[in-house]
Structure formats: structure tokens, C-alpha cells
Amino acid sequence: MKTTLKLLAMLFCVVSFAQTTIKGKITDNSGLPLPGANVIVVGTSSGTSSDFDGNYTLTVDQEPPFSIRVTYTGFQDQTIEVTSNNQTIDVTMVEGNELDEVVVSASRTPERIFESPVTVERFGLKEIKNTASVDFYDGLENLKGVDINTNSLTFKSINTRGFATFANTRFMQLVDGMDNSAPALNFPLGNLLGMTETDILSVELLPGAASALYGANAFNGILFMRSKNPFDFQGISGYIKKGITSQEAAGDNEYTDLGIRMAYKFSEKFAAKVNFGYLKGTDWAAENEADKLNRGLTRADIDYDGINVYGDEVSTDINGVAQTLESLGLAPAGSSGLVPSVDVSRTGYNERDLTNYNAESIKADWGLYYRPWEDDFEIQYVGKIGSGNTIYQGANRYNIKNFFLQQHKLEIRNDNFFVRGYITEDKAGDSYDMVFTGININSAWKDNNTWFGEYVAGYIGATLGGATNDAAHDIARAQADTGRLIPGTPEFQRTFDRITNDPDLTTGSRFQDNSKIYHGDANYNFGDLVDFAEIQVGASYRTYSLNSFGTIYTDIDGPINYSEVGFYTQLQRSLELSESVELKLTGSLRYDKSELFDGFFSPRLSAGFTINKNHNIRASYQTGFRNPTTQDLYIGLDVGRAILVGGAEDNPARDIRNYDLSTTGTAITGQTNLDVDGTGAYNNSFFANSVGAFAATGNPAALEIANSNLAQPEQVTSFELGYRGKLDGVIIDASAYYNQYQDFLANETVISPFYGDVQLTQTLPNGTPLAVAAIANGDFEAYQTYTNADEDVNSYGAAIQVSTKVLDGFDISANYTYAKLDFDTEANPDFRTNFNTPEHKVKLSFGKTELFKNFGFNTSWRWSDNFFWEASFGDGEVPAYSVLDAQINYRIPSLKTTLKLGATNLLQDEYFTAFGTGFIGSMYYASITINNL
């Protein structure tokens, strides 16, 4: 027994002797702690990370001497030798440059930006803290090649490399691996329901097609946002920003933005965090009363349709009304001859009368993290909820009110693999269409037949009384508008409330939705098992469940469900060609299959040469594709001027609407009204422009058959060249690309007659084609179809950024972006590419994090060329603009606090980034951030 005890005691001494403990503190060069810095024993997976105060303790079963490597994003790695047990090793990290920062998005594996096989932009903790923009999301606009189109104060749409709309389904936004798109809309609502600023670890942006790794929606680019893990970042941190928004139309209004993060590591096995964010302000008011149809009309004109005036979309030829009244004996015989054949529109309401411009966001998320073996194997549950109010501009202008989005994710991962599944669900809340609100307030007060009848009666009476044409129109409108509901009155408010709670667009304007996305994906990296190359394999699966109750989609009879699946692999290998040249090869291949379409392969090949460690030249070839979105496939929405009808094979037949026929139409068909579905848009339609030509000339030969094809997946082939280099302290990052699109997805505007064939083979006894008679008598419907271009669409562009330090540590950078569409729009006037991108952009920044002790500043200036915006809401020129943002900050290290004063659009030159939106004014704010140094 004594012998056994001696052996155990000796074994215990050996074990004790083999353990080495080191500790210390990790700071930056100004003495500020760096929480979450990684401390790893070189050649092993053993390691730890620093706490909120920068302190770390590492115990390993290894005797000195050995080396540790300390890493922190934005700083140069440091390798330090451990020579004794209980050694204290304090580390001062040296700030690196942007090319030394590590990204994950380009290859789904950690690598320096300098070596990534494709263009990638990064917005790290340093950039987030020093941005001159009001928040990190707005700050992304200062990255090269990035466009942010401002829909409203709380809804910004990010895009790269052209083809931008607010419904930007070409661009993905991933938050900790979860697609942040709203299921009903199929695109993210900016950061309205996204991340709180104190929980952000890094933001990466991958411009261009990335379908080879990320699937069908990764077509124009991807934004990756990663949050802080509570095992690495503990404690309570928060911020509050108070200030004002200033706009000529809306005046000066209070602005509040606050957030709090709480994280705690209960043990080496379990940690948790909770985040909460709240934002409230007043949106940018849209008060543009210019003619929406670019005819140069003003509000004094009889067929006026203002950009931000709603209800005036309803118009008709008053001579036709006069003829009807005369035939019914409601007007004197022959009086229709006094009424000109001109279109007259109803009197509309300004947008400001139909919304209070409340901009609000309330969001929260929480996470539970479990490491059963106290290593890198981790099980996560993450939940996110958010509700908000904003303005969204799609086919119409929508007041997104009390919109609700929730996500729940379960993920198992370690350094080599992950398996995750999540669900995303949205609810439209009290959201409504402002255009139809104006239309139906008018109709609720006085139906269209009555209003136009009174208008014609007033015109006839005034004309018989000797009034001029203009005076007769003024008298007619005043007579028809007698008793009109006035904004601010109880009668108007009661009607407004009733209509915005009615989901039937013939009488109301509310839209309903409770759609869902179910998604799962997995990835395994064989890097630890295979030596000759790093090999990854992965797969994803997604099911859409659309449920708008018939208010957006053709799902009046129940939810529409469909799914898609994908598989991919990637091989990456580095080859040392000489002492000064290294070659990195990457090859990826992905296969995706939607149940609605044939499958697609998406390959990507890239090569990167690193020369003398300071220069990297890369070239890549990749293909991508995107399936038509949920709206491309299944929308069935009346937007006033046209019906949007999706291009899925079974969709047009489900869009059934009832129409009254003209007197001629009744005589031809024997019916006073018809039930018409949307199939005519795809198999019996003319191009809208050709119908306009027919109306102007009366020549049926001007009519051109449209018959849009049903929607199919779009494909892109992309070629890219790039250079990254360090030249005597100057950092250069440049790239150029050329994209070729096949089966380009876009819209066509078509006219479908209610009777007669567009081949004009069916005729009246006098030889007039039935379809021509239908068009001439107003018996038709305008549709916007979702289809593919027969012609190829090409685009190309380039971007370059130069950055350095000057004058003893001042940071200065400048970038330039060029983008160009290569498509013959004149030869295809009915086909809309929605390129919506300025040809030239220039951005500059200048600042210093330590101008003097604990005091820093940053300024950003950007200029955008003019460009033409086209979208379903309307088309128009966006003038060139320039914007200056600035901020100063002061750190109080003893309180772990940063004070900040900032202003955006400091020059107060109001501008807009899209046709139809409100002008963007200025913001002035002060903020305090605690425990987020």
C-alpha cells in the first residue's frame, strides 16, 4: 500500500511539474486593453483569449521553452517565447494595415485580405469606432465599390457592381450565418432589424458573384456581419446617441439611438449574452410634386400625376364619360361633342397627409453557448426579434408599420465544421400601401363614376356658359371636389383608419403577411486531415412558405411552398514557386437545384501570386446564377398603373380579377363584365410602348406582340483581375471586372386585351381586329411581367483605393469606383435592367485616432456622379451630389468610455439617391459609449 501511494505521489509531482502557467495583459500602443485577443501555443490548438480588461491566463501541459502567438484583428501577430513557469508576459500589439486583417468570407476559411482570392472589403472594430457616419451600417458607404441607396432614415439598401433597387434581391446579408432577408420581401430591410453596434465583431463585404460557395442569392455580393462570442467578450457595454435630423421638408426633429450588450461566461463550458437596441426619429419626408411620368406637367394640369401625390393615378378620358352619360340620358343630346377627348385625373393627397414619418426600430437578440469539452466544440442557440417602422419604396410607396421579424438558430460547430438550422418568420403588422390609401380615400368619399360624371357635367355647364377650356376644367374640378375629405379633419381620419386596416385593395390598402423561410446548411473543412490542400465540402437546403393571404402573392387559397437544395466543394492550395514568389490556387464547384427549375453548376477558379511578401496579383473566373425570387415567381399585386404578375408557370392563372367592359366590349362579348386571369400577360399581350404608338398614330401596325416568357434562372459569368500591395507605407488595393449576364431577369410592361388575339386574326365584321377594338375602347389591363431578356446584358467596372499615414500618423485614404452598363436600351425600350448605378464615385477620408492623448477625429467625403434611376415606382434622373461627414471623439480609459460628437451631410446640401424618395438632410449627434473601447 505504501509503495502504491509513493507511485501516485510521484505521478502527481510529474503532472504538476509538466504544467506551465503564464499570464499577462494585452494592450494596444496607446495602453488601451484589447479584449478577445487570442493567445495560442504555437504548433498546438491550446490557447485562451483575453478578458474585457485585456488580461489573460493560460495553463498548458507543456514545459518551457515554447512559443505563444498573440493575434487580434487589425494588429500584427506577435510570437513570444515562454522561458519559465508562472511567467508574466504583457503584450503591446502593433497596429497593422488593412491588408493584414483576417477575413473568412472569401473562401469560408480564415485568411488575410492580402491573400484572398477575390475582392473583399472589411469594416472592423477600429473602423466601426472611428466612422464619421452616424452608425456602422451607414459607414459601409465609404468602402470602395459600395453603394448605399437611402430608402428612408432607417432603411438603407447596400449594393455593389450595379443593378440596384430597394428590393435588392441580388445582394445577400448574413448575420452570424443567417440570411437576414424578410421572407415576404425576399431582401433585408437594411439594419432596421439587424445587429446592435456594441455586439459587432466584424463586417465583411464580398462584391460580385459568389454562388460557388453561397448559392443562388449570392449574385451581386454578400454582406457578412459577425457578432462577439460571450466566451471571448464578457461584461456590460452600451451606448446612447442623441441628436437631431434636419431637413427642409420635415424641419428639425429629435433622434435617439441606444443599445446595450450583456454577456457572461459562467464557466469554461457555458456562456450567454443578451442585446437590446432602440432607435427613434423622424423619417426623411418625400414632398416631390413633379410629374411622375416625366411629361412636364404641374398640379395645375388636368392629368397631373405627382411623384409623392397619391390618388391622382386614377384617370380617364372624359369624352368617353360624356358619351356614356349621354347614352344613359344623364346629359343633353349632343353635349358629348363639347367635351374634348383628354385624360383627366382625380385630385390626389400629398404623402405627408398619409403618414406621420415615424422612424422606429426595436430589436433584441440572445444567445446560449455551450462547450461540453471546454475546447472549440460549441453548441449555440441564438434568437433574434425585431419590430420597426420605416418607409419602403417598391412598386408603390409603403408605410412599413409595426413590421415584425424573428429568427431562431441552432448551430453546432468547431474550427473545422458547422451544422446549422434556422427559421425566419415575418409579420407585416399594420403596414399599408400609401398609393392605394390615397386612391381609396377618394373612392370611399366619392366613387370614380360619380366623380368623373360630376366633372363632365361641370365642364359642359361651364362651356355652355361661355367659359374658356382652361376655366371650364377648373370649374369642373372644383365641382367634382366639393365636399372632399380634408386631412386633419375627423372625417378624413376615420376614413384613413378604415382603409389602412382593410386588406382588400379595391377598398383598402393594408397588406398582410406571415411568410417563413426554413434553412439549413453545413460545412466541413478537411484542412487538419489532408496535407496537400485545404478541402471543404458543404450543403444547404431551404424551404419557402409564402403566406400573404392574397395581398402580395397569389396565395388567396393558402400558403405557397417550394424548396431548393445545394452542394459545394472547394480546394485551396499554396505553392512556393521560389523564395520570393508564392502561388495560391482556389477552385470551387457548387450544384443547386430548385424544385421549380433544372439544376445549375457554378464553378469558380482563382489564382493569386504573392511576390516579395508585399505584392499580390490575383485573377479569377467564376459563374453564378440566381433563381427568380419569391416575388418574381408568385407576386399578384395591383399597384394602380399596372398589375404585377409573377412568372412561375402556375402563377398567372391564379391572378383572377373582374373588369367592367365598355359599351362596345359588351356588344362584342354579350357580357357587361369579365373575370380575367393573368395568363394574357404572358400569352396574349402587346408591348406598352407600342400601344402608346398606336394611340398616337391610330395605326394597328404599330402594335408589337410581347407575350413575355415565363421566368427562368439568370446566369452570370464574371472575370476579375486585382492587385494588392505595400509600397513604402502606401497601401494599394485595386480590381477590375467584366460580367456577362444570360437570361437576365427583369420586367416588361405589357398590355393585354380582354378579347381578341394579339396576332390580329380575330376580327369584327368590318374587318377591325378584336384586340384593336379592345385597346381602342379601354378594354385591357396593363401588366408588369417578370421575365428574361433574349439579349445578353453586360457590365464592367473597376475600383482602386490608396491609403497611407502622413504628417506623423494621420490616416488618409482615397478610392475611386467606375461602373458601366453595356446594353442597348434604345433597341429594348420595354425592358428594364434597373442598373441604377453612378458611372463614377470618389470617396476620401482623413483622420487620426490619437491627435493628442485620448482625442481623435475622422472625416469622410464622397462624391457620386449623376445617373438615371429606373424602377417599378418610377423613372428619373438622380443628380450628382457630394457629402461630408465628420466626428471628434474623446476616450476616458479609466471609465472605459468614449464621448463622440458627429455630423453627417455637414455641408447641408440635401440630395437623394433614388427617384421618388425624400431628400436626405443632415444629422447632428452626441454619443457616449461605455465598456466598448
Side-chain angles (χ1 to χ4, degrees):
M1 183 65 180
K2 290 182 179 180
T3 302
T4 302
L5 290 174
K6 288 180 179 179
L7 289 173
L8 289 172
M10 291 175 62
L11 179 61
F12 177 77
C13 291
V14 170
V15 172
S16 299
F17 178 77
Q19 283 193 326
T20 301
T21 298
I22 58 173
K23 62 181 179 180
K25 186 172 185 176
I26 302 172
T27 60
D28 64 11
N29 53 7
S30 62
L32 293 175
L34 295 178
N38 294 312
V39 183
I40 305 293
V41 177
V42 175
T44 75
S45 60
S46 300
T48 188
S49 58
S50 57
D51 62 19
F52 192 83
D53 296 312
N55 297 315
Y56 74 93
T57 300
L58 175 64
T59 300
V60 295
D61 295 330
Q62 190 170 338
E63 293 185 60
F66 57 86
S67 296
I68 59 171
R69 179 178 292 114
V70 183
T71 62
Y72 192 79
T73 301
F75 292 81
Q76 298 178 12
D77 296 357
Q78 294 204 34
T79 301
I80 304 163
E81 186 175 15
V82 177
T83 58
S84 63
N85 188 25
N86 295 320
Q87 185 175 352
T88 297
I89 302 177
D90 294 328
V91 182
T92 300
M93 302 294 286
V94 178
E95 187 177 335
N97 61 66
E98 57 262 35
L99 297 186
D100 293 321
E101 295 178 345
V102 175
V103 294
V104 179
S105 57
S107 304
R108 283 192 182 265
T109 189
E111 59 190 351
R112 290 193 305 156
I113 289 180
F114 183 74
E115 300 167 340
S116 69
V118 293
T119 299
V120 61
E121 304 292 333
R122 189 178 187 282
F123 207 67
L125 292 176
K126 174 188 173 183
E127 290 78 15
I128 291 170
K129 294 170 184 175
N130 293 309
T131 181
S133 301
V134 71
D135 59 30
F136 83 94
Y137 203 84
D138 286 14
L140 298 174
E141 189 167 11
N142 295 308
L143 298 175
K144 72 177 187 296
V146 175
D147 297 298
I148 291 186
N149 294 309
T150 300
N151 206 340
S152 62
L153 182 69
T154 51
F155 180 9
K156 318 290 175 63
S157 178
I158 295 178
N159 192 58
T160 62
R161 300 188 176 179
F163 309 105
T165 65
F166 292 122
N168 193 3
T169 55
R170 296 170 174 269
F171 191 91
M172 288 183 69
Q173 182 169 295
L174 300 179
V175 178
D176 287 333
M178 292 187 291
D179 188 344
N180 200 221
S181 298
L185 303 174
N186 220 205
F187 57 86
L189 291 170
N191 198 44
L192 179 70
L193 307 171
M195 296 184 68
T196 55
E197 199 160 292
T198 48
D199 194 39
I200 297 168
L201 179 62
S202 69
V203 180
E204 298 174 21
L205 194 147
L206 198 62
S211 298
L213 286 181
Y214 296 99
N217 292 334
F219 202 68
N220 250 43
I222 315 178
L223 180 68
F224 300 81
M225 293 189 280
R226 290 194 300 146
S227 68
K228 297 172 181 175
N229 191 302
F231 277 108
D232 302 324
F233 295 86
Q234 298 99 44
I236 299 175
S237 56
Y239 71 91
I240 182 169
K241 299 175 188 174
K242 291 285 292 183
I244 63 169
T245 57
S246 180
Q247 185 201 25
E248 184 177 338
D252 295 343
N253 296 281
E254 289 188 9
Y255 172 84
T256 301
D257 181 12
L258 61 89
I260 186 170
R261 179 183 188 271
M262 296 177 286
Y264 188 73
K265 184 171 74 172
F266 294 88
S267 68
E268 294 300 321
K269 291 186 176 182
F270 182 68
K273 69 175 182 179
V274 176
N275 293 285
F276 174 79
Y278 175 74
L279 182 150
K280 185 171 178 60
T282 299
D283 226 322
W284 305 123
E287 295 190 337
N288 193 337
E289 295 188 4
D291 178 32
K292 185 177 181 181
L293 303 180
N294 297 309
R295 299 163 298 178
L297 303 183
T298 70
R299 203 150 196 174
D301 290 294
I302 59 174
D303 191 29
Y304 170 77
D305 181 5
I307 294 175
N308 298 127
V309 181
Y310 313 131
D312 54 5
E313 294 80 6
V314 177
S315 66
T316 194
D317 186 330
I318 57 173
N319 181 260
V321 176
Q323 292 182 39
T324 300
L325 292 176
E326 189 176 329
S327 67
L328 295 174
L330 300 176
S335 61
S336 62
L338 301 174
V339 180
S341 180
V342 293
D343 285 339
V344 169
S345 64
R346 292 199 64 169
T347 307
Y349 290 95
N350 290 78
E351 181 177 289
R352 63 175 175 268
D353 298 325
L354 304 174
T355 178
N356 60 7
Y357 288 119
N358 178 37
E360 191 170 18
S361 170
I362 303 172
K363 53 194 173 188
D365 64 82
W366 55 91
L368 305 175
Y369 299 75
Y370 180 57
R371 295 178 177 177
W373 298 291
E374 300 183 11
D375 57 11
D376 62 343
F377 185 90
E378 186 171 275
I379 302 171
Q380 303 176 0
Y381 161 68
V382 174
K384 301 175 70 70
I385 58 172
S387 179
N389 300 325
T390 190
I391 302 294
Y392 161 59
Q393 181 173 299
N396 286 336
R397 296 267 293 173
Y398 302 91
N399 190 336
I400 305 298
K401 185 178 180 183
N402 300 325
F403 187 88
F404 180 81
L405 181 77
Q406 64 175 323
Q407 294 185 293
H408 299 276
K409 178 185 76 167
L410 185 63
E411 181 170 357
I412 302 173
R413 65 177 305 122
N414 72 2
D415 290 342
N416 297 318
F417 85 96
F418 68 79
V419 178
R420 72 169 69 97
Y422 61 88
I423 178 175
T424 305
E425 178 184 15
D426 64 25
K427 292 182 180 178
D430 301 311
S431 303
Y432 60 92
D433 182 329
M434 290 189 288
V435 172
F436 270 92
T437 301
I439 290 172
N440 287 325
I441 286 176
N442 272 340
S443 297
W445 159 66
K446 186 179 292 184
D447 67 83
N448 293 329
N449 289 336
T450 301
W451 191 91
F452 285 111
E454 291 181 0
Y455 189 103
V456 168
Y459 183 90
I460 292 172
T463 302
L464 291 173
T468 64
N469 178 62
D470 289 344
H473 278 296
D474 291 340
I475 293 169
R477 185 172 296 275
Q479 179 171 312
D481 277 346
T482 301
R484 184 170 180 262
L485 298 180
I486 304 301
T489 63
E491 294 80 5
F492 177 90
Q493 192 61 45
R494 282 194 297 268
T495 305
F496 173 86
D497 291 342
R498 176 168 56 80
I499 286 170
T500 55
N501 282 284
D502 180 359
D504 183 351
L505 288 184
T506 62
T507 54
S509 61
R510 181 178 180 178
F511 64 88
Q512 298 174 291
D513 184 72
N514 187 203
S515 296
K516 301 179 180 68
I517 290 175
Y518 304 90
H519 185 94
D521 58 341
N523 177 277
Y524 193 91
N525 189 323
F526 291 91
D528 286 354
L529 303 177
V530 179
D531 293 331
F532 80 93
E534 183 176 88
I535 300 173
Q536 296 185 62
V537 296
S540 66
Y541 177 83
R542 175 173 290 193
T543 292
Y544 297 90
S545 181
L546 309 178
N547 187 21
S548 72
F549 309 95
T551 63
I552 302 173
Y553 299 104
T554 57
D555 55 0
I556 189 68
D557 295 324
I560 298 172
N561 299 301
Y562 67 99
S563 60
E564 54 195 33
V565 64
F567 306 91
Y568 65 88
T569 185
Q570 176 177 275
L571 185 149
Q572 192 171 71
R573 186 177 184 186
S574 296
L575 302 171
E576 189 171 325
L577 303 183
S578 68
E579 290 185 1
S580 59
V581 180
E582 182 177 309
L583 171 64
K584 186 176 185 179
L585 298 171
T586 304
S588 309
L589 181 66
R590 183 178 177 111
Y591 175 78
D592 285 274
K593 175 72 173 72
S594 167
E595 69 174 82
L596 303 177
F597 306 105
D598 294 334
F600 278 86
F601 285 98
S602 303
R604 181 177 82 174
L605 298 172
S606 67
F609 291 88
T610 300
I611 304 169
N612 292 327
K613 297 184 179 181
N614 288 325
H615 306 277
N616 180 272
I617 300 171
R618 67 187 186 277
S620 68
Y621 158 84
Q622 56 187 315
T623 63
F625 82 101
R626 73 179 185 106
N627 287 321
T629 67
T630 54
Q631 294 193 26
D632 293 340
L633 294 169
Y634 289 111
I635 197 169
L637 181 63
D638 186 346
V639 294
R641 293 272 180 184
I643 305 294
L644 311 185
V645 58
E649 184 176 6
D650 58 342
N651 188 64
R654 290 206 298 261
D655 188 82
I656 302 172
R657 302 171 192 271
N658 185 267
Y659 296 90
D660 293 328
L661 295 180
S662 67
T663 303
T664 302
T666 298
I668 291 172
T669 65
Q671 298 175 256
T672 58
N673 58 75
L674 286 176
D675 284 336
V676 179
D677 65 31
T679 56
Y682 290 90
N683 64 22
N684 196 54
S685 61
F686 299 110
F687 284 115
N689 277 342
S690 74
V691 173
F694 165 69
T697 64
N699 182 8
L703 295 170
E704 183 181 352
I705 296 174
N707 290 357
S708 302
N709 294 318
L710 296 172
Q712 296 292 320
E714 178 183 339
Q715 303 169 66
V716 64
T717 302
S718 180
F719 304 89
E720 182 179 314
L721 292 173
Y723 168 78
R724 300 183 183 100
K726 312 171 190 176
L727 302 170
D728 297 326
V730 177
I731 307 300
I732 300 175
D733 191 350
S735 63
Y737 67 89
Y738 187 84
N739 291 340
Q740 297 175 315
Y741 297 87
Q742 300 85 42
D743 296 325
F744 187 90
L745 277 164
N747 304 116
E748 290 178 341
T749 305
V750 302
I751 302 293
S752 179
F754 294 155
Y755 44 86
D757 65 317
V758 294
Q759 290 77 20
L760 307 184
T761 63
Q762 300 171 354
T763 63
L764 292 169
N766 64 3
T768 301
L770 286 176
V772 172
I775 297 296
N777 287 280
D779 292 332
F780 63 85
E781 180 58 270
Y783 289 96
Q784 181 175 286
T785 60
Y786 294 77
T787 186
N788 305 84
D790 294 327
E791 300 81 6
D792 288 344
V793 177
N794 303 316
S795 69
Y796 53 92
I800 183 171
Q801 176 165 305
V802 179
S803 57
T804 188
K805 289 184 179 293
V806 297
L807 304 174
D808 193 29
F810 285 86
D811 295 306
I812 184 170
S813 71
N815 67 67
Y816 166 75
T817 302
Y818 174 79
K820 186 72 173 177
L821 173 68
D822 181 11
F823 181 72
D824 191 351
T825 54
E826 292 185 3
N828 301 274
D830 288 288
F831 197 88
R832 312 168 70 87
T833 62
N834 299 337
F835 189 66
N836 298 342
T837 301
E839 187 170 341
H840 306 282
K841 295 191 296 287
V842 177
K843 303 172 185 179
L844 306 174
S845 69
F846 180 72
K848 190 174 185 181
T849 56
E850 196 82 5
L851 183 62
F852 51 84
K853 187 175 181 180
N854 296 328
F855 181 87
F857 80 98
N858 195 24
T859 58
S860 296
W861 176 85
R862 60 186 181 274
W863 171 84
S864 173
D865 198 4
N866 67 296
F867 64 98
F868 188 76
W869 180 274
E870 58 178 9
S872 52
F873 178 74
D875 304 338
E877 191 76 15
V878 176
Y881 61 86
S882 61
V883 182
L884 176 66
D885 302 336
Q887 62 89 5
I888 58 174
N889 63 82
Y890 182 74
R891 299 187 306 276
I892 309 174
S894 60
L895 300 177
K896 301 176 183 176
T897 295
T898 300
L899 306 177
K900 191 174 184 179
L901 291 174
T904 66
N905 195 11
L906 197 56
L907 301 179
Q908 299 181 337
D909 293 328
E910 296 189 2
Y911 66 101
F912 59 94
T913 61
F915 177 87
T917 64
F919 280 68
I920 302 167
S922 303
M923 299 182 69
Y924 307 91
Y925 67 93
S927 72
I928 179 171
T929 303
I930 301 173
N931 282 347
N932 199 43
L933 298 177

